Amino acid sequence: MLVKRFKVLFFLMFLFPLRSVSFSLLSKKRIRIRSTLFLSSAGQIGPNVSRPLTYNTVSSHIGIHVIVGTDSPTVESSIASNLARQWKESDSIPTFFSEEQLSPRNLLQLGSVWFLSASAAAKNSGQKPQRLSLDDSTRELQENDYLRIHCNPRRFLEVYNYNFTAWKDERENGIIVGKGEGFWIIDKPAKVPVHPTSDNYVENVQEQIKKAVGNYVSTPQRLDQNTSGIFVVARSKSFAGYFAELLRTKTKVLLETDNSTKVRKVESIQKGYKCLLCLIPNNSSMAESYQNLKSYDVLTHYLEPSIRAPKKFSRTQENSKWLESRLRVASVGKVFPLIGSKAAEGLQSKLWGSAKLPDGCIGVTEVTVELLTGRTHQIRGQFAAEGYPLVGDTQYGGAIPVDIKNAEIQ
């Protein structure tokens, strides 16, 4: 298995006693296909959609944009008829339907269908589509109502391997490591998103906990879907506001002292990331590449504004829209060679598995990082821009994949 080494450390000043709660999980079903098709039953693009009819291989789910006709079907029957139509017409478009196609009720249960009424669209009020649930299956649609149907939503089946209300224990697969007044501290699993996605409302940390406990759950932090690490969940509005302020204060203090070695006495939270980086010397030696990495303090790049990935980070700001991205390299560990001995070759095999390490990579080292800004893919993108991609990161040059389906970051 391709494994990305990306450990998150989160240091808090408090941890609390343990106890266990049982938790029931939703049924699971695997979906294999990953692609996007934008279509409309009336041969036109739905409201608020400016793109032309296109097959999009960048996105990882399938969306059908539907303008309802004069037959005024129910939500469930409209989903069924459009799925059947796409099955029938699939010979003329890229093959993307799986044998395990979800039913209309499955899609509604997952939160994979969105709705905007014709009257709301006609008013140009800026109202956005609303996510539908299973309770909406019998709702009657009117002419020119809009549906967006994610036929093959992304599935995050790892959620069903964990008990989201139990303490961390191998026997129960719990994730809680601490509790206090108004908060939980959890060890977030890899391959599980923190928040709902546009095509899957159910299979994420926030909703799994909310479903189990039935009252307030908020996630003021963020961690990438494939990243595991210590994570704070707010269980009250007052703590959510308090913790958000602590995070803002942390960032402000770091920015004020980012070129100083002074002790930051006012911080109550310290957040760090441990990353395993590739050493790819190119025209220098491994020793020179390592010393260059050790010379970093505050690293500044500019992020190109784009919804696409991988992100582009540059040392120069191309224009004012490029966002400043800053991190501090707090420490650099030892070098571990990947060539020259059986032990080195064994390490290479353990880190990359069936994938291939990047060309020219002859060593790895672990660094600890503090973020001074919070940009998408910031740590991955900034280090890759410097020639030090994260081990196993296929998007940014840290691996040449054989099968990226099971890629995970720990």
Side-chain angles (χ1 to χ4, degrees), residues 6-10 175 177 185-190 194 205 221 223-232 272-273 409-410:
F6 192 110
K7 293 184 179 178
V8 178
L9 298 182
F10 199 95
I175 64 168
V177 297
I185 304 171
I186 69 170
D187 186 0
K188 176 195 157 325
V194 171
V205 170
Q221 283 181 265
L223 278 181
D224 285 349
Q225 169 195 323
N226 288 339
T227 305
S228 65
I230 301 302
F231 188 87
V232 173
Y273 300 80
I409 306 175
Q410 291 185 341

Side-chain angles (χ1 to χ4, degrees), residues 312-330:
K312 181 178 180 181
F313 290 82
S314 172
R315 283 275 193 153
T316 58
Q317 188 174 24
E318 300 292 333
N319 59 58
S320 60
K321 293 183 180 180
W322 287 50
L323 302 174
E324 185 180 50
S325 306
R326 305 172 74 191
L327 60 80
R328 176 190 283 110
V329 180

Side-chain angles (χ1 to χ4, degrees), residues 247-263:
L247 291 174
R248 285 191 292 269
T249 301
K250 172 191 71 68
T251 301
K252 180 180 178 182
V253 172
L254 285 172
L255 287 170
E256 289 175 349
T257 61
D258 60 12
N259 289 311
S260 172
T261 58
K262 296 178 182 178
V263 177

